[in-house]
Amino acid sequence: QGQLVESGGGSVQAGGSLRVSCTTSGYTYSSVYCMGWFRQTPGKEREAVAAITYDGGSIRHAYADSVKGRFTISQVSAKNTLYLQMNSLKTEDTGMYYCAASRTFTICTGGGLDVDDHTYWGQGTQVTVSS
C-alpha cells in the first residue's frame, strides 16, 4: 500500500511561481511505474497536468498542453519525493492538485497522464492564483 502526501500549495498572484511536493511512504519503487500530478476544480473532471514515467532504462516526462513550458515535474534520486515546479502561473491554474502513482512494476499505457494509470492518490493541496 502506498501513501502519498502533498504539500506546498498556497496562494500566489498571476505570473508568480509555486512548487508543490509529494512525499511517498510504503510505496515500493521499481524500474517500471509512473507518477503524476492532476488538478481539479469544483464541477469539473480531474485533469492531468504532468507525469513522469519509468520504463526499464528510460525516463519520460509528459505535460498537458496548457502547462507546457511553464511547469516542470521532477523526482529526487531517492525517489520518495515528487515535485511540480509551476512558473508563470495563470488564474486558470487554480485548483486542487493531486499527486498520483501507479502500481509498481506497471506499464502506464496512458503515459502517466491518464487517471486510469494510477492506483494511489494523495489528498490534494490547494493552489490559488489571483489576478
Side-chain angles (χ1 to χ4, degrees):
Q1 293 280 344
Q3 292 187 329
L4 312 178
V5 178
E6 301 94 339
S7 61
S11 298
V12 65
Q13 287 193 324
S17 298
L18 204 61
R19 189 178 76 166
V20 291
S21 304
C22 171
T23 302
T24 67
S25 61
Y27 183 79
T28 302
Y29 289 93
S30 68
S31 60
V32 184
Y33 71 98
C34 64
M35 295 188 71
W37 288 98
F38 292 74
R39 66 188 180 193
Q40 189 170 22
T41 53
K44 293 188 177 181
E45 291 187 354
R46 193 167 295 188
E47 63 172 356
V49 176
I52 187 167
T53 301
Y54 295 83
D55 184 10
S58 66
I59 302 172
R60 293 190 299 274
H61 300 80
Y63 298 92
D65 288 342
S66 60
V67 305
K68 281 181 181 176
R70 300 188 298 121
F71 289 13
T72 302
I73 188 171
S74 63
Q75 192 165 29
V76 294
S77 59
K79 294 188 175 181
N80 66 337
T81 305
L82 184 74
Y83 297 103
L84 183 68
Q85 177 67 43
M86 302 180 288
N87 299 327
S88 301
L89 282 161
K90 304 176 180 180
T91 55
E92 52 263 44
D93 294 319
T94 293
M96 186 69 78
Y97 281 69
Y98 296 92
C99 174
S102 70
R103 291 186 183 276
T104 195
F105 292 110
T106 297
I107 295 175
C108 298
T109 57
L113 293 178
D114 189 333
V115 170
D116 292 337
D117 281 336
H118 302 283
T119 299
Y120 305 105
W121 294 84
Q123 294 300 306
T125 185
Q126 178 67 35
V127 172
T128 302
V129 184
S130 59
S131 59

